[in-house]
Amino acid sequence: MREQADRGLTREEREFVVAHLSASRERMLAAVGELTSEQWNFKPDADTWSVGECLEHVAMLEGMILQNVLEAPELAELPDVAGKEQVILARVSEARRKVTAPEFARPVGRWAADELMAAFARARQATIELAVVSEYPFRWKAVPISRLGCWTAISG
C-alpha cells in the first residue's frame, strides 16, 4: 500500500514547481504585454506561427494538460519516468526545433490578444494552485504525451 507521504510533492518539489511556473508566467506576460497589433500578428512566413498563435497554443495546452492530469486514473505502480523532468523542461523552454503540433493543439484564433493573455494567466494560476496542494497524488497520475511517452504529473 502506498504511503501518504508518497502521494504529494515534497516541499522542495513544490517550491521548485511554483517558482518555475510563476517566473515563466511573468516572463511570458512581460514579453507579450507591450506588443503592438502588428508585432502580435507578425508571421515571418506562412509556416511559422505569430506570437499570438504561439501564446494561444501554450494557453490551450496548459489547460488541457491540467485537465488530463486531473482526470487521469491513479496508477497501481509507478512508471519509469526518471529524467523526464529535464527533457520536458529543455524541450519546452528552448523550442528552437520546429515540430508540427497535433491538430487539436494548433491555434485557431480562440481569443483576442487581451483575452488570450488573461486565459493564459488563468490556466497557469490553476496549475500553480494545484501544485500548492501537497496531498494531490501527482506521482500516481500518468498522462501520455506524444513524442515523450508516458509521464507522471510530477515528471511533467
Side-chain angles (χ1 to χ4, degrees), residues 2 5-10 13 74-75 77-79 81 134 136-142 151-155:
R2 295 180 283 212
D6 290 339
R7 293 175 57 83
L9 298 174
T10 67
E13 289 168 334
E74 285 193 42
L75 301 172
E77 59 184 60
L78 292 176
V81 294
S134 61
Y136 191 78
F138 288 102
R139 283 176 181 51
W140 301 96
K141 297 280 198 151
W151 57 282
T152 66
I154 191 72
S155 67

mmCIF file of all heavy atoms in Angstrom, residues 2 5-10 13 74-75 77-79 81 134 136-142 151-155:
data_model
loop_
_atom_site.group_PDB
_atom_site.id
_atom_site.type_symbol
_atom_site.label_atom_id
_atom_site.label_comp_id
_atom_site.label_asym_id
_atom_site.label_seq_id
_atom_site.Cartn_x
_atom_site.Cartn_y
_atom_site.Cartn_z
ATOM 1 N N ARG A 2 0.469 2.230 -0.739
ATOM 2 C CA ARG A 2 1.257 3.458 -0.846
ATOM 3 C C ARG A 2 1.186 4.272 0.442
ATOM 4 O O ARG A 2 0.150 4.349 1.091
ATOM 5 C CB ARG A 2 0.742 4.316 -1.992
ATOM 6 C CG ARG A 2 0.942 3.658 -3.306
ATOM 7 C CD ARG A 2 0.429 4.556 -4.362
ATOM 8 N NE ARG A 2 -1.029 4.479 -4.369
ATOM 9 C CZ ARG A 2 -1.772 4.611 -5.438
ATOM 10 N NH1 ARG A 2 -1.220 4.869 -6.587
ATOM 11 N NH2 ARG A 2 -3.059 4.525 -5.377
ATOM 12 N N ALA A 5 2.774 9.950 2.321
ATOM 13 C CA ALA A 5 3.880 10.856 2.013
ATOM 14 C C ALA A 5 4.331 10.737 0.562
ATOM 15 O O ALA A 5 4.887 11.664 -0.002
ATOM 16 C CB ALA A 5 5.057 10.592 2.948
ATOM 17 N N ASP A 6 4.096 9.581 -0.066
ATOM 18 C CA ASP A 6 4.498 9.380 -1.457
ATOM 19 C C ASP A 6 3.523 10.003 -2.451
ATOM 20 O O ASP A 6 3.793 10.043 -3.629
ATOM 21 C CB ASP A 6 4.590 7.881 -1.765
ATOM 22 C CG ASP A 6 5.752 7.229 -1.055
ATOM 23 O OD1 ASP A 6 6.686 7.945 -0.672
ATOM 24 O OD2 ASP A 6 5.695 6.001 -0.884
ATOM 25 N N ARG A 7 2.392 10.456 -1.982
ATOM 26 C CA ARG A 7 1.343 10.917 -2.889
ATOM 27 C C ARG A 7 1.587 12.331 -3.401
ATOM 28 O O ARG A 7 1.415 12.596 -4.574
ATOM 29 C CB ARG A 7 -0.015 10.840 -2.199
ATOM 30 C CG ARG A 7 -0.434 9.420 -1.916
ATOM 31 C CD ARG A 7 -1.720 9.382 -1.116
ATOM 32 N NE ARG A 7 -2.815 10.067 -1.746
ATOM 33 C CZ ARG A 7 -3.611 9.560 -2.682
ATOM 34 N NH1 ARG A 7 -3.402 8.338 -3.098
ATOM 35 N NH2 ARG A 7 -4.598 10.252 -3.185
ATOM 36 N N GLY A 8 1.931 13.233 -2.536
ATOM 37 C CA GLY A 8 2.058 14.628 -2.934
ATOM 38 C C GLY A 8 3.491 15.016 -3.236
ATOM 39 O O GLY A 8 4.392 14.193 -3.275
ATOM 40 N N LEU A 9 3.668 16.300 -3.466
ATOM 41 C CA LEU A 9 5.007 16.835 -3.708
ATOM 42 C C LEU A 9 5.747 17.018 -2.402
ATOM 43 O O LEU A 9 5.148 17.335 -1.375
ATOM 44 C CB LEU A 9 4.896 18.209 -4.387
ATOM 45 C CG LEU A 9 4.221 18.273 -5.751
ATOM 46 C CD1 LEU A 9 4.088 19.726 -6.188
ATOM 47 C CD2 LEU A 9 5.000 17.483 -6.770
ATOM 48 N N THR A 10 7.057 16.882 -2.441
ATOM 49 C CA THR A 10 7.860 17.257 -1.282
ATOM 50 C C THR A 10 7.886 18.779 -1.226
ATOM 51 O O THR A 10 7.528 19.464 -2.203
ATOM 52 C CB THR A 10 9.304 16.731 -1.401
ATOM 53 O OG1 THR A 10 9.938 17.413 -2.490
ATOM 54 C CG2 THR A 10 9.340 15.219 -1.603
ATOM 55 N N GLU A 13 10.105 20.032 -4.057
ATOM 56 C CA GLU A 13 9.467 19.916 -5.369
ATOM 57 C C GLU A 13 8.402 20.990 -5.565
ATOM 58 O O GLU A 13 8.322 21.627 -6.610
ATOM 59 C CB GLU A 13 8.830 18.530 -5.542
ATOM 60 C CG GLU A 13 9.838 17.414 -5.692
ATOM 61 C CD GLU A 13 9.209 16.039 -5.564
ATOM 62 O OE1 GLU A 13 8.156 15.897 -4.904
ATOM 63 O OE2 GLU A 13 9.795 15.097 -6.125
ATOM 64 N N GLU A 74 -5.592 6.955 -11.081
ATOM 65 C CA GLU A 74 -4.376 6.706 -10.316
ATOM 66 C C GLU A 74 -3.780 5.369 -10.738
ATOM 67 O O GLU A 74 -4.488 4.416 -11.014
ATOM 68 C CB GLU A 74 -4.659 6.713 -8.814
ATOM 69 C CG GLU A 74 -4.870 8.099 -8.274
ATOM 70 C CD GLU A 74 -4.831 8.152 -6.761
ATOM 71 O OE1 GLU A 74 -3.965 7.492 -6.155
ATOM 72 O OE2 GLU A 74 -5.669 8.878 -6.199
ATOM 73 N N LEU A 75 -2.471 5.317 -10.796
ATOM 74 C CA LEU A 75 -1.747 4.119 -11.197
ATOM 75 C C LEU A 75 -1.595 3.159 -10.031
ATOM 76 O O LEU A 75 -1.503 3.573 -8.878
ATOM 77 C CB LEU A 75 -0.360 4.500 -11.709
ATOM 78 C CG LEU A 75 -0.309 5.461 -12.893
ATOM 79 C CD1 LEU A 75 1.121 5.895 -13.141
ATOM 80 C CD2 LEU A 75 -0.898 4.811 -14.121
ATOM 81 N N GLU A 77 1.076 1.157 -9.945
ATOM 82 C CA GLU A 77 2.513 1.242 -9.684
ATOM 83 C C GLU A 77 3.096 2.348 -10.555
ATOM 84 O O GLU A 77 2.531 2.719 -11.578
ATOM 85 C CB GLU A 77 3.220 -0.085 -9.947
ATOM 86 C CG GLU A 77 3.075 -0.605 -11.351
ATOM 87 C CD GLU A 77 3.717 -1.978 -11.496
ATOM 88 O OE1 GLU A 77 3.294 -2.915 -10.803
ATOM 89 O OE2 GLU A 77 4.648 -2.079 -12.303
ATOM 90 N N LEU A 78 4.225 2.847 -10.130
ATOM 91 C CA LEU A 78 4.833 3.970 -10.834
ATOM 92 C C LEU A 78 5.548 3.539 -12.108
ATOM 93 O O LEU A 78 6.283 2.561 -12.104
ATOM 94 C CB LEU A 78 5.850 4.673 -9.923
ATOM 95 C CG LEU A 78 5.278 5.403 -8.731
ATOM 96 C CD1 LEU A 78 6.401 5.971 -7.880
ATOM 97 C CD2 LEU A 78 4.353 6.513 -9.168
ATOM 98 N N PRO A 79 5.358 4.296 -13.193
ATOM 99 C CA PRO A 79 6.121 4.028 -14.412
ATOM 100 C C PRO A 79 7.536 4.582 -14.254
ATOM 101 O O PRO A 79 7.794 5.398 -13.382
ATOM 102 C CB PRO A 79 5.358 4.803 -15.485
ATOM 103 C CG PRO A 79 4.724 5.924 -14.739
ATOM 104 C CD PRO A 79 4.406 5.381 -13.368
ATOM 105 N N VAL A 81 9.913 7.080 -15.095
ATOM 106 C CA VAL A 81 9.931 8.409 -15.711
ATOM 107 C C VAL A 81 11.202 9.160 -15.323
ATOM 108 O O VAL A 81 11.272 10.369 -15.456
ATOM 109 C CB VAL A 81 8.682 9.235 -15.326
ATOM 110 C CG1 VAL A 81 7.435 8.607 -15.912
ATOM 111 C CG2 VAL A 81 8.571 9.385 -13.823
ATOM 112 N N SER A 134 -0.349 19.880 -1.497
ATOM 113 C CA SER A 134 0.654 18.821 -1.363
ATOM 114 C C SER A 134 0.057 17.425 -1.333
ATOM 115 O O SER A 134 0.750 16.459 -1.605
ATOM 116 C CB SER A 134 1.489 19.054 -0.103
ATOM 117 O OG SER A 134 0.660 19.015 1.045
ATOM 118 N N TYR A 136 -2.237 16.200 -3.302
ATOM 119 C CA TYR A 136 -2.681 15.703 -4.605
ATOM 120 C C TYR A 136 -1.719 14.611 -5.075
ATOM 121 O O TYR A 136 -0.502 14.779 -5.024
ATOM 122 C CB TYR A 136 -2.755 16.837 -5.641
ATOM 123 C CG TYR A 136 -3.455 16.407 -6.892
ATOM 124 C CD1 TYR A 136 -4.835 16.328 -6.932
ATOM 125 C CD2 TYR A 136 -2.739 15.995 -7.997
ATOM 126 C CE1 TYR A 136 -5.487 15.881 -8.057
ATOM 127 C CE2 TYR A 136 -3.387 15.546 -9.136
ATOM 128 C CZ TYR A 136 -4.758 15.490 -9.157
ATOM 129 O OH TYR A 136 -5.404 15.035 -10.263
ATOM 130 N N PRO A 137 -2.217 13.475 -5.573
ATOM 131 C CA PRO A 137 -1.358 12.323 -5.908
ATOM 132 C C PRO A 137 -0.623 12.457 -7.250
ATOM 133 O O PRO A 137 -0.776 11.639 -8.148
ATOM 134 C CB PRO A 137 -2.358 11.166 -5.933
ATOM 135 C CG PRO A 137 -3.636 11.803 -6.387
ATOM 136 C CD PRO A 137 -3.634 13.173 -5.742
ATOM 137 N N PHE A 138 0.205 13.477 -7.368
ATOM 138 C CA PHE A 138 0.910 13.730 -8.625
ATOM 139 C C PHE A 138 1.679 12.528 -9.138
ATOM 140 O O PHE A 138 1.660 12.220 -10.310
ATOM 141 C CB PHE A 138 1.900 14.892 -8.459
ATOM 142 C CG PHE A 138 1.240 16.225 -8.339
ATOM 143 C CD1 PHE A 138 1.110 16.827 -7.104
ATOM 144 C CD2 PHE A 138 0.757 16.884 -9.457
ATOM 145 C CE1 PHE A 138 0.511 18.074 -6.989
ATOM 146 C CE2 PHE A 138 0.162 18.112 -9.353
ATOM 147 C CZ PHE A 138 0.032 18.708 -8.117
ATOM 148 N N ARG A 139 2.391 11.849 -8.263
ATOM 149 C CA ARG A 139 3.223 10.727 -8.689
ATOM 150 C C ARG A 139 2.406 9.568 -9.252
ATOM 151 O O ARG A 139 2.916 8.742 -9.981
ATOM 152 C CB ARG A 139 4.041 10.197 -7.521
ATOM 153 C CG ARG A 139 5.226 11.030 -7.178
ATOM 154 C CD ARG A 139 5.903 10.456 -5.944
ATOM 155 N NE ARG A 139 7.043 11.191 -5.515
ATOM 156 C CZ ARG A 139 7.118 12.482 -5.292
ATOM 157 N NH1 ARG A 139 6.078 13.232 -5.527
ATOM 158 N NH2 ARG A 139 8.212 13.066 -4.874
ATOM 159 N N TRP A 140 1.151 9.490 -8.873
ATOM 160 C CA TRP A 140 0.314 8.349 -9.220
ATOM 161 C C TRP A 140 -0.665 8.661 -10.345
ATOM 162 O O TRP A 140 -1.608 7.919 -10.573
ATOM 163 C CB TRP A 140 -0.410 7.867 -7.968
ATOM 164 C CG TRP A 140 0.577 7.475 -6.927
ATOM 165 C CD1 TRP A 140 1.029 8.245 -5.895
ATOM 166 C CD2 TRP A 140 1.298 6.254 -6.848
ATOM 167 N NE1 TRP A 140 1.973 7.563 -5.184
ATOM 168 C CE2 TRP A 140 2.157 6.334 -5.739
ATOM 169 C CE3 TRP A 140 1.292 5.093 -7.616
ATOM 170 C CZ2 TRP A 140 3.002 5.293 -5.377
ATOM 171 C CZ3 TRP A 140 2.129 4.058 -7.252
ATOM 172 C CH2 TRP A 140 2.973 4.166 -6.137
ATOM 173 N N LYS A 141 -0.426 9.736 -11.052
ATOM 174 C CA LYS A 141 -1.245 10.111 -12.204
ATOM 175 C C LYS A 141 -0.342 10.101 -13.426
ATOM 176 O O LYS A 141 0.713 10.726 -13.429
ATOM 177 C CB LYS A 141 -1.819 11.520 -12.030
ATOM 178 C CG LYS A 141 -2.755 11.671 -10.850
ATOM 179 C CD LYS A 141 -4.113 11.146 -11.210
ATOM 180 C CE LYS A 141 -5.152 11.658 -10.249
ATOM 181 N NZ LYS A 141 -6.452 11.761 -10.876
ATOM 182 N N ALA A 142 -0.721 9.390 -14.469
ATOM 183 C CA ALA A 142 0.093 9.326 -15.682
ATOM 184 C C ALA A 142 -0.719 9.773 -16.885
ATOM 185 O O ALA A 142 -1.891 9.448 -17.008
ATOM 186 C CB ALA A 142 0.616 7.918 -15.911
ATOM 187 N N TRP A 151 4.274 9.976 -18.936
ATOM 188 C CA TRP A 151 4.922 10.752 -17.881
ATOM 189 C C TRP A 151 3.921 10.968 -16.784
ATOM 190 O O TRP A 151 2.715 10.974 -17.004
ATOM 191 C CB TRP A 151 5.479 12.078 -18.406
ATOM 192 C CG TRP A 151 4.456 12.960 -19.055
ATOM 193 C CD1 TRP A 151 3.938 12.835 -20.309
ATOM 194 C CD2 TRP A 151 3.801 14.077 -18.473
ATOM 195 N NE1 TRP A 151 3.026 13.803 -20.540
ATOM 196 C CE2 TRP A 151 2.913 14.590 -19.436
ATOM 197 C CE3 TRP A 151 3.878 14.712 -17.242
ATOM 198 C CZ2 TRP A 151 2.109 15.709 -19.200
ATOM 199 C CZ3 TRP A 151 3.085 15.816 -17.005
ATOM 200 C CH2 TRP A 151 2.225 16.303 -17.980
ATOM 201 N N THR A 152 4.399 11.117 -15.566
ATOM 202 C CA THR A 152 3.502 11.384 -14.454
ATOM 203 C C THR A 152 3.395 12.888 -14.285
ATOM 204 O O THR A 152 4.187 13.657 -14.831
ATOM 205 C CB THR A 152 4.025 10.773 -13.142
ATOM 206 O OG1 THR A 152 5.232 11.424 -12.761
ATOM 207 C CG2 THR A 152 4.234 9.271 -13.283
ATOM 208 N N ALA A 153 2.415 13.311 -13.520
ATOM 209 C CA ALA A 153 2.219 14.739 -13.300
ATOM 210 C C ALA A 153 3.433 15.363 -12.622
ATOM 211 O O ALA A 153 3.720 16.540 -12.812
ATOM 212 C CB ALA A 153 0.965 14.985 -12.470
ATOM 213 N N ILE A 154 4.172 14.591 -11.859
ATOM 214 C CA ILE A 154 5.372 15.113 -11.208
ATOM 215 C C ILE A 154 6.521 15.227 -12.208
ATOM 216 O O ILE A 154 7.348 16.123 -12.129
ATOM 217 C CB ILE A 154 5.784 14.258 -9.983
ATOM 218 C CG1 ILE A 154 6.863 14.965 -9.167
ATOM 219 C CG2 ILE A 154 6.283 12.911 -10.383
ATOM 220 C CD1 ILE A 154 6.373 16.139 -8.411
ATOM 221 N N SER A 155 6.551 14.354 -13.209
ATOM 222 C CA SER A 155 7.635 14.441 -14.191
ATOM 223 C C SER A 155 7.354 15.512 -15.230
ATOM 224 O O SER A 155 8.247 15.947 -15.917
ATOM 225 C CB SER A 155 7.864 13.097 -14.878
ATOM 226 O OG SER A 155 6.760 12.742 -15.677
#
